[in-house]
């Protein structure tokens, strides 16, 4: 009996601490500096670990070309097809062409640009998490001890804390938005709904130990606009709503997600589509267009890639979002993988194990850049506009641009795409006078 | 935390510039392609989007299973290959090293050309016939509706004639050029620098300290 009482006391004290140190500051939008202190300790530890790893590394290898980021493991020759084939040119059509394709084929087999983007980015130095320890071998006792301490801290202290916060955050979101939803439509309701959304977002960000730096806040999306961003994980939405209110767009889910969706839509005009409606593109575009036309409604948030990419590149943007019209506010999100990998590899992990991994990482550190608004030009079609926005986002976030479709995660290359490439090659042959 | 599981006999196959780090990379790639099985089959190469574009995709994949390339005594095609075989094929694309001497360079070059020769010689008889050459050209131009089969043929015939003139010199009216043997193949490529074109070079990825 006394044990239960003692546990109850501890539990109450724990909740009071959490409430006082985290929830209240979130509601008020101020920071007590605890996360900053935590990050400082973390950075120092990781620096120390890296230096120890370097000391323990084997003697230097023969000189080979270096790269600052691990964006690829082989050196790619970027000479365009034409130039390369003409260099080997001897007579009209020769064995030379086969070299080019042979090499390209081998490069693709060793490492292809697309599949690489659907697995987590490789780190240049170990960050004391077991899951990233692919390349690194046993170095020293001290490092192992630090790693063990890290495991204890992460699983026994941080995980329960984060879990509590997440539970509180989600609960208050549901309760808060349902309560606000009862009020009649008007300025008061909008204001309260914003407060509730912001507070819950802040609590959830703290639940992930998120450190987010926002740049160029003057370009923040305005009402009646469309906000587009690159997609790395489901957390992206929380990262963005931490700094402003958006109307979310998405499919209706079941379960806990469905409850949240139904609650929030009462307070704020989010756009949730039924599964059947999603198939009808015109319906989707029509509804979004209506929303955007109403200048008093919050900006909508869309992720045009359609799927999660591993944050080293930006893949093809689906043109649907760019056909709606209105002003586009691009946002670039870049996570720092050193502290925790935010990428959701949906073919490898389900949402629950993903959230568990996130909650047992060190922290989620990211930079968010608000880019100046863009509008579609007269002579541009939706696809060109989409590419223009994509380039801006890629350039700002330091990501590479790939013309590939994120759908390749699950499907094969479309035939139309293949034929383009083959046409290019044959056009070149005809031009060189090899044929006809 | 331990040494990754790479099979031991592999390291003996690859001398010179392939480091254990590169072997690890390739091992990971192998596991990705084989979906964590011990061997790869032809179907596993279907999952590479970049390869879809390649007109000679069939020949390249075929080359991986060609027993002549795998340095096996028998002939024909293997059904599946393990990591050791995978590395054997990869070794044909090693870049040249600074410290190679004449003899090594020559052997190196011959190996790469032999690999290419096997790609053309699909019936494994040691000669590239006109028909085999035509097959390759057709494949390279495949999928393009603008080029007809006739054009592909004329290209192949023209190239074959040139090959004949280089290798055999002036032919008499009743002489038939049977096909390009490996020696003729070597002759054709004399003087052309293929070693620098037919390789895949690995980048050096070291641990570096992050300072904030």
């Amino acid at each position: 009996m006394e044990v239960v009482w003692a546990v109850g006391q501890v539990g109450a004290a724990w909740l009071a601490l959490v409430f006082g140190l985290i929830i209240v500051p979130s509601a008020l939008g101020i920071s007590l500096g605890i996360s900053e202190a935590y990050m400082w300790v973390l950075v120092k530890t990781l620096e120390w670990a890296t230096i120890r790893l370097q000391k323990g590394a084997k003697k230097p290898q023969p000189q080979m070309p270096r790269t600052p980021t691990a964006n690829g493991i082989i050196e790619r020759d970027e000479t365009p097809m034409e130039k390369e084939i003409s260099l080997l040119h001897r007579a009209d059509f020769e064995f030379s062409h086969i070299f080019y394709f042979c090499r390209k084929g081998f490069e693709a087999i060793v490492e292809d640009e697309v599949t690489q983007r659907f697995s987590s980015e490789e780190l240049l130095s170990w960050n004391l998490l077991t899951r990233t320890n692919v390349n690194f071998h046993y170095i020293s006792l001290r490092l192992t001890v630090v790693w063990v301490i890290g495991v204890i801290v992460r699983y026994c202290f941080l995980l329960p804390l984060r879990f509590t916060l997440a539970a509180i955050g989600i609960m208050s979101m549901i309760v808060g938005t349902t309560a606000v939803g009862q009020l009649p439509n008007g300025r008061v309701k909008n204001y309260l709904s914003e407060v509730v959304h912001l507070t819950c977002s802040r609590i959830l960000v703290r639940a992930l130990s998120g450190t987010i730096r926002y740049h160029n806040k003057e370009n923040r999306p305005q009402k009646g606009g469309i906000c587009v961003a690159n997609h790395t994980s489901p957390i992206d939405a929380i990262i963005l709503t931490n700094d402003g209110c958006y109307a979310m767009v998405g499919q209706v889910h079941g379960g806990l997600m469905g409850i949240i969706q139904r609650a929030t839509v009462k307070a704020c005009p989010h756009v949730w589509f039924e599964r059947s409606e999603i198939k009808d593109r015109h319906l989707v575009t029509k509804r979004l267009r209506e929303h955007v036309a109403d200048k008093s409604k919050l900006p909508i948030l869309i992720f045009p890639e359609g799927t999660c990419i591993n944050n080293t590149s930006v893949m093809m943007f689906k043109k649907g979002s760019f056909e709606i019209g209105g002003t586009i506010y691009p946002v670039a999100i870049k996570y720092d993988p050193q502290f925790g990998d935010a990428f959701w590899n949906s073919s490898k992990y389900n949402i629950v194990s993903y959230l568990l991994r996130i909650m047992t990482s060190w922290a989620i550190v990211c930079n968010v850049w608000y880019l100046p608004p863009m509008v579609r030009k007269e002579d541009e079609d939706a696809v060109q506009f989409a590419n223009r926005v994509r380039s801006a986002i890629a350039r700002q976030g330091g990501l590479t641009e790939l013309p590939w479709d994120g759908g390749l995660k699950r499907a094969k290359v479309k035939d139309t795409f293949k034929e383009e490439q083959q046409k290019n090659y044959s056009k070149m042959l005809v031009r060189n006078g090899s044929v006809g | 935390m331990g040494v990754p599981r790479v099979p031991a006999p592999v390291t003996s196959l690859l001398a010179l510039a392939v480091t254990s780090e590169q072997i690890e990379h390739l091992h990971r790639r192998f596991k990705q392609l084989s979906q964590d099985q011990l061997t790869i089959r032809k179907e596993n190469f279907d999952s590479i989007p970049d390869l879809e574009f390649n007109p000679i995709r069939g020949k390249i994949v075929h080359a991986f299973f060609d027993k002549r390339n795998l340095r096996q005594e028998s002939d024909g095609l293997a059904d599946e290959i393990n990591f050791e075989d995978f590395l054997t094929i990869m070794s044909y694309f090693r870049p040249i090293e600074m410290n190679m001497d004449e003899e090594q360079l020559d052997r190196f070059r011959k190996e790469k050309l032999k690999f290419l020769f096997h790609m053309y010689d699909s019936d494994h008889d040691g000669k590239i016939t006109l028909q085999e050459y035509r097959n390759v050209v057709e494949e390279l131009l495949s999928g393009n509706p603008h080029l007809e089969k006739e054009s592909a043929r004329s290209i192949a015939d023209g190239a074959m004639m040139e090959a004949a003139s280089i290798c055999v010199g002036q032919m008499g009216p009743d002489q038939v050029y049977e096909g390009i043997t490996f020696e003729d193949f070597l002759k054709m490529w004399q003087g052309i620098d293929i070693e620098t074109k037919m390789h895949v070079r690995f980048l050096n990825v070291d641990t570096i300290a992050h300072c904030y």
Side-chain angles (χ1 to χ4, degrees), chain A residues 10-38:
Chain A
V10 170
W14 167 251
L15 276 176
L17 218 73
V18 165
F19 198 73
L21 288 177
I22 301 181
I23 309 271
V24 172
S26 313
L28 300 173
I30 55 177
S31 165
L32 286 176
I34 304 179
S35 357
E36 279 82 0
Y38 169 65

PDB file of all heavy atoms in Angstrom, chain A residues 10-38:
ATOM      1  N   VAL A  10       5.787  10.184  -6.415  1.00  0.00           N
ATOM      2  CA  VAL A  10       6.827  10.423  -7.424  1.00  0.00           C
ATOM      3  C   VAL A  10       6.192  10.853  -8.746  1.00  0.00           C
ATOM      4  O   VAL A  10       6.622  11.799  -9.401  1.00  0.00           O
ATOM      5  CB  VAL A  10       7.683   9.146  -7.627  1.00  0.00           C
ATOM      6  CG1 VAL A  10       8.592   9.307  -8.830  1.00  0.00           C
ATOM      7  CG2 VAL A  10       8.498   8.866  -6.375  1.00  0.00           C
ATOM      8  N   GLY A  11       5.107  10.111  -9.101  1.00  0.00           N
ATOM      9  CA  GLY A  11       4.422  10.423 -10.359  1.00  0.00           C
ATOM     10  C   GLY A  11       3.907  11.855 -10.371  1.00  0.00           C
ATOM     11  O   GLY A  11       4.060  12.581 -11.364  1.00  0.00           O
ATOM     12  N   ALA A  12       3.332  12.269  -9.248  1.00  0.00           N
ATOM     13  CA  ALA A  12       2.771  13.623  -9.178  1.00  0.00           C
ATOM     14  C   ALA A  12       3.878  14.664  -9.286  1.00  0.00           C
ATOM     15  O   ALA A  12       3.750  15.670  -9.997  1.00  0.00           O
ATOM     16  CB  ALA A  12       1.999  13.790  -7.883  1.00  0.00           C
ATOM     17  N   ALA A  13       4.970  14.390  -8.562  1.00  0.00           N
ATOM     18  CA  ALA A  13       6.090  15.336  -8.602  1.00  0.00           C
ATOM     19  C   ALA A  13       6.622  15.458 -10.023  1.00  0.00           C
ATOM     20  O   ALA A  13       6.907  16.552 -10.529  1.00  0.00           O
ATOM     21  CB  ALA A  13       7.198  14.863  -7.661  1.00  0.00           C
ATOM     22  N   TRP A  14       6.730  14.316 -10.667  1.00  0.00           N
ATOM     23  CA  TRP A  14       7.212  14.256 -12.044  1.00  0.00           C
ATOM     24  C   TRP A  14       6.335  15.111 -12.950  1.00  0.00           C
ATOM     25  O   TRP A  14       6.813  15.949 -13.718  1.00  0.00           O
ATOM     26  CB  TRP A  14       7.220  12.785 -12.462  1.00  0.00           C
ATOM     27  CG  TRP A  14       7.397  12.475 -13.901  1.00  0.00           C
ATOM     28  CD1 TRP A  14       6.444  11.990 -14.738  1.00  0.00           C
ATOM     29  CD2 TRP A  14       8.575  12.616 -14.680  1.00  0.00           C
ATOM     30  NE1 TRP A  14       6.967  11.806 -15.995  1.00  0.00           N
ATOM     31  CE2 TRP A  14       8.273  12.187 -15.974  1.00  0.00           C
ATOM     32  CE3 TRP A  14       9.869  13.061 -14.397  1.00  0.00           C
ATOM     33  CZ2 TRP A  14       9.204  12.182 -16.998  1.00  0.00           C
ATOM     34  CZ3 TRP A  14      10.801  13.051 -15.423  1.00  0.00           C
ATOM     35  CH2 TRP A  14      10.447  12.618 -16.718  1.00  0.00           C
ATOM     36  N   LEU A  15       5.019  14.899 -12.843  1.00  0.00           N
ATOM     37  CA  LEU A  15       4.102  15.650 -13.700  1.00  0.00           C
ATOM     38  C   LEU A  15       4.181  17.143 -13.416  1.00  0.00           C
ATOM     39  O   LEU A  15       4.140  17.966 -14.326  1.00  0.00           O
ATOM     40  CB  LEU A  15       2.663  15.163 -13.503  1.00  0.00           C
ATOM     41  CG  LEU A  15       2.288  13.933 -14.334  1.00  0.00           C
ATOM     42  CD1 LEU A  15       0.893  13.468 -14.009  1.00  0.00           C
ATOM     43  CD2 LEU A  15       2.394  14.253 -15.815  1.00  0.00           C
ATOM     44  N   ALA A  16       4.308  17.478 -12.138  1.00  0.00           N
ATOM     45  CA  ALA A  16       4.367  18.897 -11.779  1.00  0.00           C
ATOM     46  C   ALA A  16       5.597  19.543 -12.404  1.00  0.00           C
ATOM     47  O   ALA A  16       5.536  20.656 -12.945  1.00  0.00           O
ATOM     48  CB  ALA A  16       4.403  19.052 -10.268  1.00  0.00           C
ATOM     49  N   LEU A  17       6.718  18.816 -12.357  1.00  0.00           N
ATOM     50  CA  LEU A  17       7.964  19.320 -12.929  1.00  0.00           C
ATOM     51  C   LEU A  17       7.804  19.563 -14.428  1.00  0.00           C
ATOM     52  O   LEU A  17       8.163  20.616 -14.955  1.00  0.00           O
ATOM     53  CB  LEU A  17       9.076  18.281 -12.702  1.00  0.00           C
ATOM     54  CG  LEU A  17      10.436  18.896 -12.364  1.00  0.00           C
ATOM     55  CD1 LEU A  17      10.394  19.423 -10.954  1.00  0.00           C
ATOM     56  CD2 LEU A  17      11.524  17.869 -12.509  1.00  0.00           C
ATOM     57  N   VAL A  18       7.246  18.534 -15.084  1.00  0.00           N
ATOM     58  CA  VAL A  18       7.041  18.631 -16.531  1.00  0.00           C
ATOM     59  C   VAL A  18       6.152  19.829 -16.852  1.00  0.00           C
ATOM     60  O   VAL A  18       6.426  20.633 -17.737  1.00  0.00           O
ATOM     61  CB  VAL A  18       6.400  17.328 -17.067  1.00  0.00           C
ATOM     62  CG1 VAL A  18       5.848  17.551 -18.455  1.00  0.00           C
ATOM     63  CG2 VAL A  18       7.415  16.218 -17.084  1.00  0.00           C
ATOM     64  N   PHE A  19       5.078  19.945 -16.076  1.00  0.00           N
ATOM     65  CA  PHE A  19       4.125  21.018 -16.317  1.00  0.00           C
ATOM     66  C   PHE A  19       4.786  22.379 -16.160  1.00  0.00           C
ATOM     67  O   PHE A  19       4.671  23.260 -16.994  1.00  0.00           O
ATOM     68  CB  PHE A  19       2.957  20.865 -15.333  1.00  0.00           C
ATOM     69  CG  PHE A  19       1.747  21.625 -15.752  1.00  0.00           C
ATOM     70  CD1 PHE A  19       0.978  21.181 -16.815  1.00  0.00           C
ATOM     71  CD2 PHE A  19       1.377  22.787 -15.096  1.00  0.00           C
ATOM     72  CE1 PHE A  19      -0.145  21.883 -17.211  1.00  0.00           C
ATOM     73  CE2 PHE A  19       0.253  23.484 -15.491  1.00  0.00           C
ATOM     74  CZ  PHE A  19      -0.508  23.043 -16.546  1.00  0.00           C
ATOM     75  N   GLY A  20       5.497  22.506 -15.048  1.00  0.00           N
ATOM     76  CA  GLY A  20       6.071  23.811 -14.750  1.00  0.00           C
ATOM     77  C   GLY A  20       7.199  24.195 -15.688  1.00  0.00           C
ATOM     78  O   GLY A  20       7.289  25.328 -16.151  1.00  0.00           O
ATOM     79  N   LEU A  21       8.042  23.213 -15.998  1.00  0.00           N
ATOM     80  CA  LEU A  21       9.229  23.572 -16.770  1.00  0.00           C
ATOM     81  C   LEU A  21       8.998  23.554 -18.275  1.00  0.00           C
ATOM     82  O   LEU A  21       9.771  24.116 -19.023  1.00  0.00           O
ATOM     83  CB  LEU A  21      10.371  22.607 -16.438  1.00  0.00           C
ATOM     84  CG  LEU A  21      10.995  22.777 -15.049  1.00  0.00           C
ATOM     85  CD1 LEU A  21      12.056  21.738 -14.823  1.00  0.00           C
ATOM     86  CD2 LEU A  21      11.572  24.172 -14.902  1.00  0.00           C
ATOM     87  N   ILE A  22       7.970  22.828 -18.718  1.00  0.00           N
ATOM     88  CA  ILE A  22       7.844  22.669 -20.161  1.00  0.00           C
ATOM     89  C   ILE A  22       6.505  23.153 -20.701  1.00  0.00           C
ATOM     90  O   ILE A  22       6.461  23.923 -21.653  1.00  0.00           O
ATOM     91  CB  ILE A  22       8.091  21.194 -20.555  1.00  0.00           C
ATOM     92  CG1 ILE A  22       9.490  20.784 -20.099  1.00  0.00           C
ATOM     93  CG2 ILE A  22       7.945  21.005 -22.045  1.00  0.00           C
ATOM     94  CD1 ILE A  22       9.862  19.380 -20.431  1.00  0.00           C
ATOM     95  N   ILE A  23       5.431  22.741 -20.085  1.00  0.00           N
ATOM     96  CA  ILE A  23       4.126  23.050 -20.670  1.00  0.00           C
ATOM     97  C   ILE A  23       3.830  24.548 -20.589  1.00  0.00           C
ATOM     98  O   ILE A  23       3.450  25.184 -21.570  1.00  0.00           O
ATOM     99  CB  ILE A  23       2.999  22.280 -19.958  1.00  0.00           C
ATOM    100  CG1 ILE A  23       3.339  20.810 -19.875  1.00  0.00           C
ATOM    101  CG2 ILE A  23       1.682  22.557 -20.639  1.00  0.00           C
ATOM    102  CD1 ILE A  23       2.888  20.017 -21.020  1.00  0.00           C
ATOM    103  N   VAL A  24       4.027  25.098 -19.404  1.00  0.00           N
ATOM    104  CA  VAL A  24       3.683  26.517 -19.244  1.00  0.00           C
ATOM    105  C   VAL A  24       4.525  27.413 -20.148  1.00  0.00           C
ATOM    106  O   VAL A  24       3.987  28.284 -20.823  1.00  0.00           O
ATOM    107  CB  VAL A  24       3.813  26.937 -17.756  1.00  0.00           C
ATOM    108  CG1 VAL A  24       3.663  28.427 -17.612  1.00  0.00           C
ATOM    109  CG2 VAL A  24       2.745  26.233 -16.927  1.00  0.00           C
ATOM    110  N   PRO A  25       5.836  27.215 -20.182  1.00  0.00           N
ATOM    111  CA  PRO A  25       6.595  28.038 -21.133  1.00  0.00           C
ATOM    112  C   PRO A  25       6.127  27.855 -22.577  1.00  0.00           C
ATOM    113  O   PRO A  25       6.154  28.792 -23.359  1.00  0.00           O
ATOM    114  CB  PRO A  25       8.037  27.554 -20.959  1.00  0.00           C
ATOM    115  CG  PRO A  25       8.092  26.978 -19.610  1.00  0.00           C
ATOM    116  CD  PRO A  25       6.737  26.415 -19.344  1.00  0.00           C
ATOM    117  N   SER A  26       5.713  26.635 -22.941  1.00  0.00           N
ATOM    118  CA  SER A  26       5.232  26.440 -24.317  1.00  0.00           C
ATOM    119  C   SER A  26       4.007  27.293 -24.583  1.00  0.00           C
ATOM    120  O   SER A  26       3.877  27.905 -25.623  1.00  0.00           O
ATOM    121  CB  SER A  26       4.840  24.985 -24.569  1.00  0.00           C
ATOM    122  OG  SER A  26       5.805  24.119 -24.120  1.00  0.00           O
ATOM    123  N   ALA A  27       3.113  27.300 -23.607  1.00  0.00           N
ATOM    124  CA  ALA A  27       1.880  28.062 -23.811  1.00  0.00           C
ATOM    125  C   ALA A  27       2.188  29.540 -23.967  1.00  0.00           C
ATOM    126  O   ALA A  27       1.562  30.246 -24.749  1.00  0.00           O
ATOM    127  CB  ALA A  27       0.944  27.845 -22.631  1.00  0.00           C
ATOM    128  N   LEU A  28       3.195  29.982 -23.198  1.00  0.00           N
ATOM    129  CA  LEU A  28       3.511  31.403 -23.258  1.00  0.00           C
ATOM    130  C   LEU A  28       4.500  31.714 -24.374  1.00  0.00           C
ATOM    131  O   LEU A  28       4.764  32.859 -24.666  1.00  0.00           O
ATOM    132  CB  LEU A  28       4.097  31.860 -21.915  1.00  0.00           C
ATOM    133  CG  LEU A  28       3.141  31.652 -20.734  1.00  0.00           C
ATOM    134  CD1 LEU A  28       3.842  31.952 -19.429  1.00  0.00           C
ATOM    135  CD2 LEU A  28       1.930  32.572 -20.896  1.00  0.00           C
ATOM    136  N   GLY A  29       5.096  30.687 -24.975  1.00  0.00           N
ATOM    137  CA  GLY A  29       6.022  30.924 -26.075  1.00  0.00           C
ATOM    138  C   GLY A  29       7.384  31.377 -25.636  1.00  0.00           C
ATOM    139  O   GLY A  29       8.112  32.000 -26.399  1.00  0.00           O
ATOM    140  N   ILE A  30       7.764  31.087 -24.398  1.00  0.00           N
ATOM    141  CA  ILE A  30       9.113  31.486 -23.977  1.00  0.00           C
ATOM    142  C   ILE A  30       9.961  30.237 -23.740  1.00  0.00           C
ATOM    143  O   ILE A  30       9.448  29.133 -23.633  1.00  0.00           O
ATOM    144  CB  ILE A  30       9.089  32.321 -22.683  1.00  0.00           C
ATOM    145  CG1 ILE A  30       8.357  31.545 -21.582  1.00  0.00           C
ATOM    146  CG2 ILE A  30       8.462  33.671 -22.926  1.00  0.00           C
ATOM    147  CD1 ILE A  30       8.367  32.260 -20.268  1.00  0.00           C
ATOM    148  N   SER A  31      11.249  30.442 -23.666  1.00  0.00           N
ATOM    149  CA  SER A  31      12.142  29.306 -23.483  1.00  0.00           C
ATOM    150  C   SER A  31      12.957  29.496 -22.211  1.00  0.00           C
ATOM    151  O   SER A  31      13.445  30.586 -21.936  1.00  0.00           O
ATOM    152  CB  SER A  31      13.063  29.202 -24.693  1.00  0.00           C
ATOM    153  OG  SER A  31      14.137  28.359 -24.393  1.00  0.00           O
ATOM    154  N   LEU A  32      13.088  28.399 -21.437  1.00  0.00           N
ATOM    155  CA  LEU A  32      13.832  28.512 -20.190  1.00  0.00           C
ATOM    156  C   LEU A  32      15.311  28.216 -20.369  1.00  0.00           C
ATOM    157  O   LEU A  32      16.068  28.268 -19.432  1.00  0.00           O
ATOM    158  CB  LEU A  32      13.257  27.541 -19.144  1.00  0.00           C
ATOM    159  CG  LEU A  32      11.930  27.967 -18.557  1.00  0.00           C
ATOM    160  CD1 LEU A  32      11.415  26.886 -17.622  1.00  0.00           C
ATOM    161  CD2 LEU A  32      12.073  29.280 -17.806  1.00  0.00           C
ATOM    162  N   GLY A  33      15.691  27.822 -21.577  1.00  0.00           N
ATOM    163  CA  GLY A  33      17.106  27.581 -21.791  1.00  0.00           C
ATOM    164  C   GLY A  33      17.567  26.180 -21.445  1.00  0.00           C
ATOM    165  O   GLY A  33      18.744  25.878 -21.513  1.00  0.00           O
ATOM    166  N   ILE A  34      16.637  25.290 -21.099  1.00  0.00           N
ATOM    167  CA  ILE A  34      17.058  23.925 -20.746  1.00  0.00           C
ATOM    168  C   ILE A  34      17.550  23.184 -21.979  1.00  0.00           C
ATOM    169  O   ILE A  34      18.577  22.511 -21.954  1.00  0.00           O
ATOM    170  CB  ILE A  34      15.899  23.141 -20.100  1.00  0.00           C
ATOM    171  CG1 ILE A  34      15.382  23.887 -18.889  1.00  0.00           C
ATOM    172  CG2 ILE A  34      16.362  21.752 -19.714  1.00  0.00           C
ATOM    173  CD1 ILE A  34      14.234  23.201 -18.212  1.00  0.00           C
ATOM    174  N   SER A  35      16.799  23.325 -23.076  1.00  0.00           N
ATOM    175  CA  SER A  35      17.212  22.621 -24.292  1.00  0.00           C
ATOM    176  C   SER A  35      18.548  23.121 -24.799  1.00  0.00           C
ATOM    177  O   SER A  35      19.361  22.352 -25.300  1.00  0.00           O
ATOM    178  CB  SER A  35      16.188  22.751 -25.413  1.00  0.00           C
ATOM    179  OG  SER A  35      15.077  23.447 -24.991  1.00  0.00           O
ATOM    180  N   GLU A  36      18.797  24.424 -24.653  1.00  0.00           N
ATOM    181  CA  GLU A  36      20.083  24.961 -25.117  1.00  0.00           C
ATOM    182  C   GLU A  36      21.222  24.321 -24.348  1.00  0.00           C
ATOM    183  O   GLU A  36      22.242  23.947 -24.923  1.00  0.00           O
ATOM    184  CB  GLU A  36      20.137  26.492 -24.948  1.00  0.00           C
ATOM    185  CG  GLU A  36      19.442  27.265 -26.049  1.00  0.00           C
ATOM    186  CD  GLU A  36      17.948  27.342 -25.810  1.00  0.00           C
ATOM    187  OE1 GLU A  36      17.500  26.790 -24.803  1.00  0.00           O
ATOM    188  OE2 GLU A  36      17.245  27.941 -26.625  1.00  0.00           O
ATOM    189  N   ALA A  37      21.027  24.205 -23.021  1.00  0.00           N
ATOM    190  CA  ALA A  37      22.082  23.598 -22.202  1.00  0.00           C
ATOM    191  C   ALA A  37      22.309  22.150 -22.620  1.00  0.00           C
ATOM    192  O   ALA A  37      23.441  21.686 -22.763  1.00  0.00           O
ATOM    193  CB  ALA A  37      21.691  23.673 -20.726  1.00  0.00           C
ATOM    194  N   TYR A  38      21.202  21.441 -22.842  1.00  0.00           N
ATOM    195  CA  TYR A  38      21.291  20.036 -23.266  1.00  0.00           C
ATOM    196  C   TYR A  38      22.064  19.915 -24.568  1.00  0.00           C
ATOM    197  O   TYR A  38      22.945  19.072 -24.730  1.00  0.00           O
ATOM    198  CB  TYR A  38      19.875  19.473 -23.390  1.00  0.00           C
ATOM    199  CG  TYR A  38      19.776  18.142 -24.068  1.00  0.00           C
ATOM    200  CD1 TYR A  38      20.335  16.996 -23.511  1.00  0.00           C
ATOM    201  CD2 TYR A  38      19.108  18.015 -25.285  1.00  0.00           C
ATOM    202  CE1 TYR A  38      20.230  15.772 -24.136  1.00  0.00           C
ATOM    203  CE2 TYR A  38      19.004  16.794 -25.912  1.00  0.00           C
ATOM    204  CZ  TYR A  38      19.570  15.678 -25.336  1.00  0.00           C
ATOM    205  OH  TYR A  38      19.465  14.479 -25.971  1.00  0.00           O
TER     206      TYR A  38
END
